[in-house]
Amino acid sequence: MLAVVPLGSVSAEDSPLDRPMEFVLVHGDAAYCDRDGTCADWIAAEGQIKADTPKKLQKILKTVGKKKLPIIVRSPGGDVAAAMEMGLVIRKKGLSVAVGGSRLSGCGYTDPFCTSGRSKDGSATGEVYSSGAVCFSACPLLLAGGVRRIASPFALIGVHQITTTYREERVRYRTEYQMVNGRKKILSQKEIGRKIVGQHDTTKLGKKQKAALIAYLDKMGIDDAIFDMMMSATPSSIRLIKQDEAIQIKMTTEQESADDLVLVNGCADGKTIASCIAALHPAPPTPPPAPVSTPPVLPATDPAPQTPPQTSPSQPVQLPTTGNDEVIL
């Protein structure tokens, strides 16, 4: 079953995402290193999902051994069966997946996943970005395998109807046989030709196909509502899954960035990425409040004697008034 996103007629030379998916072990550059020199690593997965892509995933997982590295994926889609196969492997390994891209050191912005940025063993150094990264068509089925499933508001998740391609082939054989007691005994048979004589595509899923897809989504903990989202968009269009929808149907577990997932890959189960990020950058302690200053208390002294005012008999004295009355002596 193939699910293809026709984003225009683009050749592999024009768009890195049109290439078959590749997996690269990426070592974080200086921005991903602690003071002790320990740097974060991740597995970059970019390109179209093909039938042989699961074998490539198994190969790189064997390379990294027991390390549980996050997978940063950027893909327009591809083979549905292969995407589900990889999702099962990812879940079994207990790995996390985020929608994002990897910009390898030495690669330009037009091709951030270039081959010239890789060392002889195939690994590379680089950085993670989320802006403009896509996970379309069959890619969300790979994303579903992550124990943590991350996509920032700047990355896009989209689905559409699954296109199943049926091919009719005519195969020719050369058969050698001999007759024994009137019966034909086959001595050898060799294929000498194969030709496609018919092909047609359909978006109608058979009962077994639909049951297998729903069973997979249920096993990954994804709500069946995503199936209706798939069916609502034709193969020539994309049904984008909004951030709140992705959380609601459990396509994503947190609204964080791929960059944050890489930085806190060791975040314990049950904790959010945001809490683990906060632990990496704790707030400075609040200083104690300054003591309140009070004016000094002076010792009590006897009041000075008051001298009555001197008045002259010839001068009038103003007395306090009550109401409108006024008294003058």
Side-chain angles (χ1 to χ4, degrees), residues 30-285:
Y32 298 86
C33 298
D34 296 332
R35 294 180 179 179
D36 61 358
T38 303
C39 303
D41 294 341
W42 66 91
I43 296 172
E46 304 210 5
Q48 289 198 17
I49 301 171
K50 302 291 185 180
D52 64 341
T53 307
K55 292 182 180 179
K56 295 180 180 179
L57 174 62
Q58 292 280 18
K59 182 178 179 180
I60 195 166
L61 290 179
K62 186 177 181 179
T63 300
V64 301
K66 295 182 179 181
K67 293 181 180 179
K68 289 188 176 183
L69 300 183
I71 297 176
I72 310 302
V73 63
R74 187 170 73 112
S75 172
D79 191 302
V80 170
M84 291 194 294
E85 183 180 347
M86 289 189 289
L88 291 171
V89 172
I90 290 168
R91 181 61 61 88
K92 185 177 180 179
K93 294 283 187 180
L95 307 181
S96 297
V97 184
V99 181
S102 299
R103 184 172 291 108
L104 307 185
S105 301
C107 296
Y109 278 81
T110 56
D111 189 1
F113 206 60
C114 67
T115 56
S116 60
R118 308 174 198 181
S119 59
K120 291 182 180 180
D121 63 0
S123 64
T125 59
E127 61 181 1
V128 174
Y129 65 92
S130 294
S131 181
V134 300
C135 184
F136 287 164
S137 189
C139 177
L141 299 176
L142 184 157
L143 174 64
V147 291
R148 292 183 189 268
R149 302 177 291 278
I150 305 300
S152 85
F154 303 102
L156 300 176
I157 302 175
V159 293
H160 61 184
Q161 293 175 349
I162 296 172
T163 301
T164 304
T165 300
Y166 293 93
R167 294 184 179 92
E168 182 181 351
E169 292 185 333
R170 179 176 296 161
V171 183
R172 297 175 62 199
Y173 297 94
R174 176 179 286 117
T175 304
E176 294 183 3
Y177 63 92
Q178 69 178 127
M179 299 299 295
V180 179
N181 296 327
R183 294 185 178 181
K184 185 185 295 185
K185 181 179 181 181
I186 304 296
L187 300 177
S188 66
Q189 190 176 59
K190 182 180 180 181
E191 181 180 326
I192 60 174
R194 184 180 291 264
K195 182 180 180 181
I196 297 177
V197 295
Q199 176 176 312
H200 72 277
D201 299 334
T202 180
T203 57
K204 293 182 180 180
L205 294 179
K207 291 183 178 180
K208 291 184 179 180
Q209 293 173 321
K210 184 176 180 179
L213 181 59
I214 292 178
Y216 172 80
L217 294 171
D218 183 65
K219 186 173 184 177
M220 297 297 105
I222 311 300
D223 194 280
D224 291 349
I226 191 174
F227 184 80
D228 295 329
M229 294 179 182
M230 291 179 179
M231 296 298 103
S232 68
T234 64
S236 60
S237 63
I238 280 290
R239 165 59 159 90
L240 294 178
I241 303 177
K242 301 176 182 178
Q243 289 288 306
D244 57 343
E245 289 179 327
I247 289 288
Q248 184 177 2
I249 67 173
K250 300 178 183 179
M251 174 52 65
T252 57
T253 55
E254 299 171 70
Q255 292 183 357
E256 301 294 341
S257 69
D259 199 66
D260 288 338
L261 176 63
V262 168
L263 289 173
V264 295
N265 181 45
C267 189
D269 294 341
K271 289 188 175 181
T272 63
I273 291 178
S275 64
C276 290
I277 288 288
L280 288 178
H281 308 286

